[in-house]
Amino acid sequence: MTLSNRSIVVLAFEGYQELEFWYPVLRAREEGAEVKVVGPGEGPCESHLGYPVLGDTVAAEVVSEDVDALVVPGTVAGRPAISAEQVALLRRLRAADVPIFASGSGAHLVRELVLDVDPDHVAADADALPSLFTRLRSVLHADLSHRSR
């Protein structure tokens, strides 16, 4: 199974947990998915260890119908500092029934903002990321009702 012809959006936050962010980004790209990173603003945000990442698109430019999955990674310390634009995107994608996958404190954030998240779409921490990614891949391959390119 590959993720070619699939589009995945990953949110980036200040203080992001490196593995929770980069594991899904790199694995999805490795399997051929188009991965878009949506940061909290125009500038870079830094990981807990100081590694910067720039978003490659802004939340307002993400078209719900073109997104196959949303990934919400966590941060090392506390609740991710999510921007109003990222909140609007999260809610818009949820309303469009785009599958949401989250890890660590990102899962708590999703529960807080949209009230529910499929327990099979959650990784408690970085150690559970391989199985979360396997489930993401399975969902995208099994989701016949979602768009096909």
Side-chain angles (χ1 to χ4, degrees), residues 22-98:
W22 285 111
Y23 187 92
V25 168
L26 295 175
R27 290 288 291 129
R29 286 179 178 162
E30 177 181 75
E31 293 194 21
E34 175 188 13
V35 178
K36 295 182 180 179
V37 174
V38 176
E42 290 185 23
C45 56
E46 290 188 357
S47 73
H48 174 69
L49 297 175
Y51 297 105
V53 67
L54 276 171
D56 49 25
T57 191
V58 294
E61 292 179 4
V62 175
V63 177
S64 301
E65 294 79 22
D66 293 341
V67 178
D68 294 299
L70 172 66
V71 176
V72 183
T75 57
V76 172
R79 179 188 190 271
I82 190 168
S83 69
E85 293 81 9
Q86 288 173 313
V87 170
L89 175 62
L90 172 67
R91 289 182 173 153
R92 187 164 38 93
L93 294 178
R94 176 69 181 116
D97 290 326
V98 171

Side-chain angles (χ1 to χ4, degrees), residues 20 72-75 78 80 102-109 111 122-126 129 132:
E20 291 181 26
V72 183
T75 57
S103 57
S105 60
H108 299 293
L109 179 70
R111 286 185 191 104
V122 172
D125 54 31
L129 290 171
L132 179 68

Side-chain angles (χ1 to χ4, degrees), residues 1 3-4 6 8-9 20 23 27 91 94 97 116:
M1 286 190 281
L3 294 175
S4 58
R6 296 298 187 169
I8 298 172
V9 171
E20 291 181 26
Y23 187 92
R27 290 288 291 129
R91 289 182 173 153
R94 176 69 181 116
D97 290 326
D116 65 342

